[in-house]
Amino acid sequence: ILEVPAGFSTPIVVTLTSNDFDTYLELIDIETGNLLDENDDISSLNLNSRLTVQPFDFGFVLIRVTTAFEFETGSFSLETRPE
């Protein structure tokens, strides 16, 4: 769960990487369960995932780490940083 504080003015970049599977990243509103954003591949040559959380989306959001295909498993790294 990521908390984006009210008054935070810089977008937050969320990056999911793995050498074991094709990553898929989802950003979910924790209060409503609505899907806010999703990303499969950063580019056609990069199967990792990246989303940018805008400052107006403040509150609590759930970052869901999953795979692009069923039954894929493995290690991954999740990074959050200001843009």
Side-chain angles (χ1 to χ4, degrees):
I1 297 174
L2 172 69
E3 179 183 8
V4 182
F8 194 79
S9 61
T10 303
I12 298 171
V13 177
V14 181
T15 305
L16 172 62
T17 59
S18 177
N19 292 324
D20 296 330
F21 60 88
D22 184 1
T23 64
Y24 198 90
L25 193 56
E26 296 177 330
L27 191 66
I28 299 168
D29 184 315
I30 202 162
E31 292 181 12
T32 66
N34 292 337
L35 181 66
L36 300 173
D37 203 357
E38 60 190 330
N39 181 261
D40 182 9
D41 300 327
I42 292 174
S43 71
S44 61
L45 299 177
N46 186 339
L47 300 182
N48 294 308
S49 304
R50 181 176 294 139
L51 291 173
T52 301
V53 181
Q54 297 301 323
F56 59 84
D57 293 334
F58 66 86
F60 289 96
V61 291
L62 175 68
I63 300 169
R64 180 180 294 163
V65 170
T66 188
T67 63
F69 302 100
E70 282 188 305
F71 307 116
E72 289 184 312
T73 61
S75 300
F76 65 88
S77 175
L78 183 67
E79 175 190 20
T80 59
R81 63 172 175 77
E83 185 174 54

